[in-house]
Amino acid sequence: MELEFHQVDAFSERPFSGNPAMVYRLDSWLTDELMQHIAAEHNLAETAFLVREAQGWHIRWFTPTTEVPLCGHATLASAHVLFEVYNEPSERIDFIGKTGALSVTRENGRLLLDFPVLVPTNVGVTIELEQALGVDIVDVFGSAELMVLLESEQAVRDCKPDMAALARLPWPGVIITAKGNQHDFVSRYFAPGIGIPEDPVTGSTHCSLIPYWSNRLGKLGLTAYQCSARGGELFCRLEGDRVKIGGYARLVAKGTLLLG
């Protein structure tokens, strides 16, 4: 069996920046075990698998070690592949994922994710978290992930967490964030417990970041920057109980996986 794959750098116009994701458009589903093996073989933060169904494109996302319920950058990458490689005719692609309906549209040269809001609530600081991050913490919130507010963009950039300690925390991952210097806010995301020590650019974390910063800054439209080593810019809007997360994407590689 031969399977075609495409690698896309999401949330960037340039190759070798943003967040790389692998995309497989399948005619029918592979076994869960095989999809997990394929994701481990590519060893990127996310590998997305797509199958066309009656309601739209069913999408599943795998890290090198586990399947996850939601992934922004691999959804953006998948839409880019469907638009640019497979010539999807409409300006909107509807996806069905584990969290429900998702969509990606083309707007002003960018791709725009439509994701559900995940409002963070205050959960308080713990000694374990402070020790794991090794920085002064302003406040801590929780939703799907743990979201930690730091005092400045520089504090976010300088943070050097203890990955083993983060992996022991009872959360899938930890977001650190602060008000930005050139952008409305900045962030980084660590998820060593699911095989991602630091994710370069993470769309799904902005489901919590956008409502928090929108409320704090008193504005619905926001610019964001995830200041990992690769880095990536996101263009965000809060629209009721949905968030719009925009960015660019660049196809950087394609090939064939040989099985059997």
Side-chain angles (χ1 to χ4, degrees):
M1 179 168 57
E2 298 184 358
L3 299 174
E4 188 175 49
F5 62 79
H6 295 83
Q7 183 174 329
V8 173
D9 286 345
F11 296 112
S12 177
E13 293 181 278
R14 299 175 289 107
F16 316 125
S17 60
N19 200 352
M22 198 65 70
V23 178
Y24 281 84
R25 191 193 73 160
L26 305 173
D27 294 326
S28 59
W29 289 112
L30 307 172
T31 66
D32 291 4
E33 181 182 22
L34 179 54
M35 287 189 287
Q36 187 62 74
H37 282 313
I38 292 171
E41 180 72 15
H42 288 302
N43 200 34
L44 296 178
E46 301 287 347
T47 297
F49 298 91
L50 318 172
V51 172
R52 181 76 178 183
E53 297 182 348
Q55 306 94 327
W57 287 96
H58 194 148
I59 184 167
R60 296 174 68 180
W61 310 272
F62 289 78
T63 77
T65 61
T66 191
E67 185 175 7
V68 295
L70 185 65
C71 178
H73 86 276
T75 305
L76 195 84
S78 297
H80 183 74
V81 169
L82 292 176
F83 280 132
E84 303 299 331
V85 178
Y86 295 107
N87 300 313
E88 189 74 12
S90 70
E91 292 298 303
R92 167 178 167 143
I93 297 175
D94 291 302
F95 292 102
I96 301 101
K98 283 185 175 294
T99 61
L102 312 167
S103 69
V104 181
T105 56
R106 288 194 277 200
E107 182 180 289
N108 300 322
R110 294 194 291 260
L111 295 175
L112 197 64
L113 297 165
D114 182 328
F115 273 18
V117 162
L118 297 173
V119 178
T121 57
N122 194 277
V123 298
V125 182
T126 65
I127 293 173
E128 292 80 7
L129 180 60
E130 283 189 315
Q131 291 176 340
L133 290 175
V135 294
D136 293 329
I137 293 173
V138 176
D139 214 342
V140 182
F141 303 86
S143 56
E145 317 281 353
L146 202 62
M147 191 177 86
V148 181
L149 181 65
L150 303 186
E151 61 184 9
S152 67
E153 177 174 325
Q154 196 60 49
V156 172
R157 289 181 177 273
D158 291 344
C159 182
K160 297 178 181 177
D162 180 334
M163 293 297 175
L166 284 184
R168 290 193 294 269
L169 297 174
W171 296 86
V174 176
I175 310 160
I176 58 174
T177 186
K179 191 175 186 300
N181 298 331
Q182 303 300 320
H183 297 80
D184 289 307
F185 66 91
V186 297
S187 68
R188 292 170 68 191
Y189 176 61
F190 311 101
I194 59 171
I196 308 170
E198 180 170 4
D199 198 31
V201 193
T202 317
S204 61
T205 57
H206 288 73
C207 295
S208 298
L209 287 162
I210 292 169
Y212 173 80
W213 284 109
S214 176
N215 179 65
R216 178 159 175 169
L217 300 176
K219 56 195 299 189
L220 298 178
L222 302 156
T223 60
Y225 189 76
Q226 193 156 331
C227 44
S228 64
R230 291 174 64 99
E233 189 174 29
L234 305 95
F235 304 87
C236 311
R237 288 204 308 266
L238 179 66
E239 295 186 358
D241 63 353
R242 308 290 293 182
V243 291
K244 299 297 178 69
I245 307 165
Y248 297 99
R250 177 73 177 264
L251 179 67
V252 295
K254 60 182 179 179
T256 303
L257 182 72
L258 306 176
L259 299 173

